[in-house]
mmCIF file of all heavy atoms in Angstrom:
data_model
loop_
_atom_site.group_PDB
_atom_site.id
_atom_site.type_symbol
_atom_site.label_atom_id
_atom_site.label_comp_id
_atom_site.label_asym_id
_atom_site.label_seq_id
_atom_site.Cartn_x
_atom_site.Cartn_y
_atom_site.Cartn_z
ATOM 1 N N HIS A 79 -21.585 6.452 -6.442
ATOM 2 C CA HIS A 79 -21.336 7.872 -6.278
ATOM 3 C C HIS A 79 -19.850 8.182 -6.433
ATOM 4 O O HIS A 79 -19.017 7.437 -5.827
ATOM 5 C CB HIS A 79 -21.809 8.348 -4.879
ATOM 6 C CG HIS A 79 -23.293 8.177 -4.711
ATOM 7 N ND1 HIS A 79 -24.239 8.952 -5.306
ATOM 8 C CD2 HIS A 79 -23.991 7.257 -3.978
ATOM 9 C CE1 HIS A 79 -25.448 8.570 -4.996
ATOM 10 N NE2 HIS A 79 -25.336 7.556 -4.146
ATOM 11 N N SER A 80 -19.510 9.189 -7.173
ATOM 12 C CA SER A 80 -18.141 9.562 -7.383
ATOM 13 C C SER A 80 -17.544 10.197 -6.122
ATOM 14 O O SER A 80 -18.173 10.935 -5.401
ATOM 15 C CB SER A 80 -18.036 10.620 -8.554
ATOM 16 O OG SER A 80 -16.722 11.005 -8.766
ATOM 17 N N ILE A 81 -16.292 9.837 -5.813
ATOM 18 C CA ILE A 81 -15.557 10.397 -4.656
ATOM 19 C C ILE A 81 -14.572 11.415 -5.129
ATOM 20 O O ILE A 81 -13.753 11.116 -5.996
ATOM 21 C CB ILE A 81 -14.853 9.255 -3.895
ATOM 22 C CG1 ILE A 81 -15.842 8.170 -3.405
ATOM 23 C CG2 ILE A 81 -14.037 9.766 -2.713
ATOM 24 C CD1 ILE A 81 -15.178 6.957 -2.796
ATOM 25 N N PRO A 82 -14.625 12.623 -4.623
ATOM 26 C CA PRO A 82 -13.671 13.639 -5.074
ATOM 27 C C PRO A 82 -12.243 13.266 -4.728
ATOM 28 O O PRO A 82 -11.995 12.557 -3.699
ATOM 29 C CB PRO A 82 -14.128 14.887 -4.297
ATOM 30 C CG PRO A 82 -14.904 14.461 -3.148
ATOM 31 C CD PRO A 82 -15.556 13.158 -3.581
ATOM 32 N N GLU A 83 -11.269 13.667 -5.560
ATOM 33 C CA GLU A 83 -9.880 13.285 -5.352
ATOM 34 C C GLU A 83 -9.404 13.700 -3.971
ATOM 35 O O GLU A 83 -8.534 13.019 -3.367
ATOM 36 C CB GLU A 83 -9.008 13.881 -6.441
ATOM 37 C CG GLU A 83 -7.598 13.431 -6.489
ATOM 38 C CD GLU A 83 -6.851 13.933 -7.687
ATOM 39 O OE1 GLU A 83 -7.493 14.324 -8.668
ATOM 40 O OE2 GLU A 83 -5.591 13.873 -7.614
ATOM 41 N N SER A 84 -9.885 14.837 -3.475
ATOM 42 C CA SER A 84 -9.450 15.264 -2.163
ATOM 43 C C SER A 84 -9.837 14.354 -1.010
ATOM 44 O O SER A 84 -9.306 14.447 0.093
ATOM 45 C CB SER A 84 -10.051 16.699 -1.894
ATOM 46 O OG SER A 84 -11.482 16.615 -1.911
ATOM 47 N N ASP A 85 -10.723 13.397 -1.272
ATOM 48 C CA ASP A 85 -11.181 12.471 -0.240
ATOM 49 C C ASP A 85 -10.683 11.013 -0.503
ATOM 50 O O ASP A 85 -11.011 10.123 0.261
ATOM 51 C CB ASP A 85 -12.719 12.435 -0.162
ATOM 52 C CG ASP A 85 -13.277 13.678 0.509
ATOM 53 O OD1 ASP A 85 -12.514 14.373 1.226
ATOM 54 O OD2 ASP A 85 -14.446 14.007 0.302
ATOM 55 N N TRP A 86 -9.866 10.855 -1.512
ATOM 56 C CA TRP A 86 -9.442 9.445 -1.832
ATOM 57 C C TRP A 86 -8.663 8.891 -0.646
ATOM 58 O O TRP A 86 -8.753 7.686 -0.329
ATOM 59 C CB TRP A 86 -8.480 9.456 -3.044
ATOM 60 C CG TRP A 86 -9.164 9.676 -4.302
ATOM 61 C CD1 TRP A 86 -10.491 9.945 -4.562
ATOM 62 C CD2 TRP A 86 -8.558 9.754 -5.629
ATOM 63 N NE1 TRP A 86 -10.743 10.153 -5.925
ATOM 64 C CE2 TRP A 86 -9.558 10.012 -6.589
ATOM 65 C CE3 TRP A 86 -7.234 9.563 -6.052
ATOM 66 C CZ2 TRP A 86 -9.281 10.164 -7.937
ATOM 67 C CZ3 TRP A 86 -6.935 9.695 -7.392
ATOM 68 C CH2 TRP A 86 -7.944 10.010 -8.340
ATOM 69 N N PHE A 87 -7.880 9.708 0.043
ATOM 70 C CA PHE A 87 -7.001 9.235 1.122
ATOM 71 C C PHE A 87 -7.802 8.574 2.239
ATOM 72 O O PHE A 87 -7.286 7.704 2.971
ATOM 73 C CB PHE A 87 -6.167 10.379 1.695
ATOM 74 C CG PHE A 87 -6.922 11.344 2.552
ATOM 75 C CD1 PHE A 87 -6.949 11.145 3.951
ATOM 76 C CD2 PHE A 87 -7.610 12.399 1.991
ATOM 77 C CE1 PHE A 87 -7.644 12.082 4.763
ATOM 78 C CE2 PHE A 87 -8.376 13.282 2.811
ATOM 79 C CZ PHE A 87 -8.352 13.150 4.203
ATOM 80 N N ARG A 88 -9.083 8.944 2.366
ATOM 81 C CA ARG A 88 -9.906 8.357 3.431
ATOM 82 C C ARG A 88 -10.185 6.884 3.170
ATOM 83 O O ARG A 88 -10.564 6.135 4.077
ATOM 84 C CB ARG A 88 -11.248 9.153 3.546
ATOM 85 C CG ARG A 88 -11.041 10.586 3.850
ATOM 86 C CD ARG A 88 -12.382 11.281 3.987
ATOM 87 N NE ARG A 88 -12.268 12.729 4.051
ATOM 88 C CZ ARG A 88 -11.984 13.410 5.105
ATOM 89 N NH1 ARG A 88 -11.758 12.791 6.311
ATOM 90 N NH2 ARG A 88 -11.859 14.728 5.120
ATOM 91 N N LYS A 89 -10.077 6.460 1.902
ATOM 92 C CA LYS A 89 -10.450 5.131 1.470
ATOM 93 C C LYS A 89 -9.259 4.172 1.445
ATOM 94 O O LYS A 89 -9.482 2.987 1.190
ATOM 95 C CB LYS A 89 -11.152 5.163 0.120
ATOM 96 C CG LYS A 89 -12.414 6.055 0.082
ATOM 97 C CD LYS A 89 -13.441 5.505 1.021
ATOM 98 C CE LYS A 89 -14.676 6.387 1.040
ATOM 99 N NZ LYS A 89 -15.714 5.872 2.011
#
Side-chain angles (χ1 to χ4, degrees):
H79 298 287
S80 182
I81 300 172
E83 188 172 342
S84 58
D85 286 339
W86 289 0
F87 75 95
R88 302 182 191 278
K89 302 297 178 182

